[in-house]
Amino acid sequence: QAQLVESGGGLVQIGGSLRLSCAVSGSTRHDTMAWFRQAPGKEREFVAASRQSGGTYYADSVKGRFTMSRDNTKNTVSLQMNHLIPEDTAVYYCAASLNRVITSAVGNQRMYRNWGQGTQVTVSS
């Protein structure tokens, strides 16, 4: 089973930027990769997803501020986060699905079998 390791979290001021990375161990290529986040006292929620077969999707709350990209040669995905606000404070998780996840389900956590351990992002006011 592939292992996912996130990095790049930290403390940033309002309006600042952070770039998260997720490295996938092994040579297995996952078609759909995603980012989720969980704020204190809240349920884990979808942030963004990218399919190798085509398509990148964002939650409305981050659209226009976050950009997800993937480097298939290095088997990594990244999440560039700009114009951060306190509501973005959460633990961010990388998730992966070997199979293509249909568009209507990219935000469904049950579609992803492999998960990272999470990285903390804190936006200070």
Side-chain angles (χ1 to χ4, degrees):
Q1 185 170 341
Q3 291 189 332
L4 282 62
V5 179
E6 302 97 336
S7 61
L11 175 65
V12 64
Q13 292 185 333
I14 292 176
S17 299
L18 279 176
R19 186 177 182 86
L20 305 183
S21 294
C22 173
V24 183
S25 66
S27 59
T28 303
R29 291 294 182 262
H30 295 77
D31 182 272
T32 307
M33 301 286 297
W35 289 95
F36 288 80
R37 67 186 181 185
Q38 187 167 20
K42 295 186 177 181
E43 294 185 354
R44 190 157 54 185
E45 65 176 7
F46 170 73
V47 175
S50 172
R51 292 197 300 237
Q52 185 168 328
S53 52
T56 305
Y57 307 90
Y58 299 94
D60 288 342
S61 59
V62 306
K63 203 171 293 183
R65 300 187 298 120
F66 290 11
T67 302
M68 182 174 180
S69 59
R70 57 193 301 168
D71 185 338
N72 292 321
T73 62
K74 296 181 180 179
N75 214 3
T76 61
V77 294
S78 298
L79 185 69
Q80 178 66 42
M81 306 185 296
N82 298 327
H83 305 295
L84 286 162
I85 58 178
E87 289 75 15
D88 296 320
T89 295
V91 177
Y92 284 70
Y93 297 91
C94 178
S97 169
L98 281 172
N99 302 315
R100 177 182 180 276
V101 178
I102 62 174
T103 302
S104 60
V106 294
N108 185 340
Q109 301 176 47
R110 290 176 294 180
M111 297 294 106
Y112 302 92
R113 181 175 182 178
N114 301 104
W115 290 80
Q117 82 290 347
T119 185
Q120 176 71 46
V121 171
T122 303
V123 183
S124 64
S125 56

